[in-house]
Amino acid sequence: MLADLYQRPGFLLRRTHQISAAVFESACAEVGLTPAQYGVLTVLATEPGLDQTRLARALAFDKVTVMRVLKGLEERGLVSRERSSVSRRQMTVALTPQGVSLLDAARAPAEEAYQRLLSPLTPVQRRQLIELLQTLTEGLADEARAPFVPLQPQDEVPSKRPSRARRPT
């Protein structure tokens, strides 16, 4: 019975996520970033002035999670938020100079964490793992609680509409 539990994909994915977060946080301890914070900083470095809704979707975060992460980063002086010029209901977010510096300092430790996480696998297994995880997440995107809408370069038009999470009934 326990053997069945320990072989279930959900159990293994949750355990892998725990390990991934621990490896990342250990590697990035000096810069004091979590994986979620690093993701926010990375997205904002790519698209400064992004609104909070698009930021949340670009990372597949729900509104509460993105607000919690932004609050912590704002308290540390790493991001700034202001009302959108397009919509008074939206807030835009940008990296501060301190945020840019911290992200630069975090790039090497984040890469070390990535390499450490995949270190038990051969190069072929690494590619297979990424491909399988992409297939799984794309195939079940409609089951997600938070939508994932990857950012596209401004001049690039997506070939198909991104999946949106189902709303609870």
Side-chain angles (χ1 to χ4, degrees):
M1 191 112 145
L2 280 178
D4 289 341
L5 172 67
Y6 296 153
Q7 296 301 308
R8 291 193 182 270
F11 178 87
L12 293 168
L13 288 168
R14 183 183 58 78
R15 184 69 181 135
T16 303
H17 180 263
Q18 289 173 327
I19 292 166
S20 175
V23 167
F24 184 94
E25 289 172 9
S26 175
C28 291
E30 273 190 37
V31 293
L33 286 178
T34 66
Q37 292 168 334
Y38 182 78
V40 167
L41 296 178
T42 300
V43 169
L44 292 175
T46 303
E47 192 160 332
L50 189 63
D51 69 75
Q52 290 177 181
T53 300
R54 285 187 61 217
L55 173 62
R57 290 179 179 163
L59 293 164
F61 287 167
D62 58 44
K63 289 180 182 182
V64 172
T65 300
V66 80
M67 290 302 300
R68 182 178 42 80
V69 173
L70 286 174
K71 182 179 178 190
L73 292 172
E74 191 173 33
E75 287 172 356
R76 292 174 60 189
L78 303 174
V79 300
S80 62
R81 293 188 290 169
E82 60 183 53
R83 291 264 174 232
S84 169
S85 60
V86 177
S87 169
R88 291 186 142 314
R89 294 175 36 191
Q90 283 288 346
M91 296 290 286
T92 61
V93 189
L95 294 179
T96 63
Q98 297 91 336
V100 172
S101 294
L102 186 68
L103 179 59
D104 288 343
R107 289 190 197 280
E111 179 61 23
E112 290 171 23
Y114 174 75
Q115 294 302 325
R116 174 72 183 117
L117 180 64
L118 295 177
S119 66
L121 304 176
T122 67
V124 170
Q125 289 172 323
R126 290 176 183 203
R127 283 190 299 276
Q128 288 173 331
L129 175 64
I130 299 302
E131 289 172 6
L132 289 170
L133 290 172
Q134 287 173 331
T135 299
L136 187 65
T137 57
E138 290 167 8
L140 296 172
D142 289 341
E143 301 294 324
R145 292 182 182 161
F148 173 59
V149 182
L151 291 178
Q152 302 289 326
Q154 296 295 3
D155 59 336
E156 187 177 311
V157 178
S159 59
K160 68 176 186 175
R161 189 173 182 179
S163 298
R164 298 193 53 104
R166 284 191 307 179
R167 300 287 177 226
T169 55

